Amino acid sequence: MADIFTLSATDLGALLCSRVCHDIISPVGAINNGLELLDEGGADDDAMALIRASARNASARLQFARIAFGAAGSAGMQIDTGDAEAVAKAFIANEKPELEWIGVRALLPKNKVKLLLNLILVANSTIPRGGKITVRLDDTDANPKFTLTSTGKMIRVPPKFLELHGGNTPSEPIDAHSVQAYYTLLLARESGMTIDIRATGEDVVLTAS
């Protein structure tokens, strides 16, 4: 089995930055559109509603990215899963699925919390037309286990994630669209956790333990 983790630190950082920029371009653009409406003397109430909603969306995405992709503190730092829950719920509020979070609040190693948030992004991509994501945290005081169950229409595991999870050399170079799947698996390796995938016609279950 080939070693899929071949990106340099520079390339990985650049691709993750591109991913974050892609995620916030839309809400920031909508804020700009709302300001242009105000400048043109358009409907003030509609423009302000657009600006407020888009600002909340951009803020939620940045707060999520700060923990999911960023340093989020010094090396070796632990992160409160309650903070992870808060940013995950704010992020998913702007997406199509609903999110249920089950598990006691705990302090976990930084990379394990980052892995959890990235698994939420993978789970979100399994149900592009919406549905429900249930996040369950077990045994957080000893050997944490994360179980994410996605249910919804047109459910499927993203092909790039399956390809990389199988340890196969990518058929195409890692780019800004596929780097999140790559990063998720890299976090699992760095955290000493194994990701298992179970997919049926009704749900997709991602487990990290």
Side-chain angles (χ1 to χ4, degrees):
M1 185 178 294
D3 182 5
I4 65 169
F5 301 113
T6 57
L7 282 181
S8 69
T10 302
D11 287 342
L12 177 60
L15 289 171
L16 287 175
C17 284
S18 294
R19 163 67 195 239
V20 173
C21 289
H22 176 272
D23 283 351
I24 64 171
I25 281 174
S26 180
V28 170
I31 292 171
N32 186 60
N33 291 339
L35 292 172
E36 288 179 352
L37 279 175
L38 289 177
D39 289 340
E40 294 169 0
D44 289 356
D45 290 345
D46 290 343
M48 288 306 301
L50 174 62
I51 291 169
R52 289 191 183 97
S54 300
R56 285 194 298 269
N57 188 352
S59 177
R61 290 178 181 277
L62 286 171
Q63 292 290 342
F64 184 93
R66 184 181 69 86
I67 300 179
F69 303 131
S74 60
M77 177 183 175
Q78 291 187 316
I79 296 177
D80 190 328
T81 59
D83 294 337
E85 178 183 3
V87 299
K89 286 184 173 179
F91 178 89
I92 292 296
N94 297 294
E95 300 292 301
K96 294 180 181 179
E98 61 178 292
L99 176 67
E100 180 183 20
W101 189 286
I102 303 170
V104 298
R105 192 167 187 164
L107 288 173
L108 294 181
K110 177 176 63 179
N111 278 351
K112 291 190 177 184
V113 176
K114 289 160 70 72
L115 171 61
L116 174 58
L117 292 181
N118 275 272
L119 284 171
I120 290 174
L121 291 179
V122 175
N124 185 38
S125 67
T126 66
I127 41 177
R129 295 194 177 183
K132 183 177 181 180
I133 301 170
T134 300
V135 178
R136 185 179 185 92
L137 281 62
D138 293 302
D139 203 13
T140 52
D141 59 344
N143 297 301
K145 177 181 178 181
F146 310 140
T147 305
L148 294 86
T149 304
S150 307
T151 55
K153 297 180 179 179
M154 303 293 291
I155 192 165
R156 84 288 185 274
V157 181
K160 181 60 68 175
F161 187 73
L162 275 178
E163 179 184 42
L164 293 173
H165 181 267
N168 300 310
T169 301
S171 57
E172 299 177 352
I174 301 297
D175 58 18
H177 295 290
S178 58
V179 69
Q180 192 274 320
Y182 178 97
Y183 187 58
T184 302
L185 294 167
L186 179 59
L187 284 170
R189 187 180 75 166
E190 295 296 315
S191 301
M193 301 183 80
T194 300
I195 297 175
D196 292 316
I197 304 171
R198 180 180 66 81
T200 70
E202 299 180 352
D203 61 19
V204 170
V205 180
L206 303 172
T207 305
S209 59

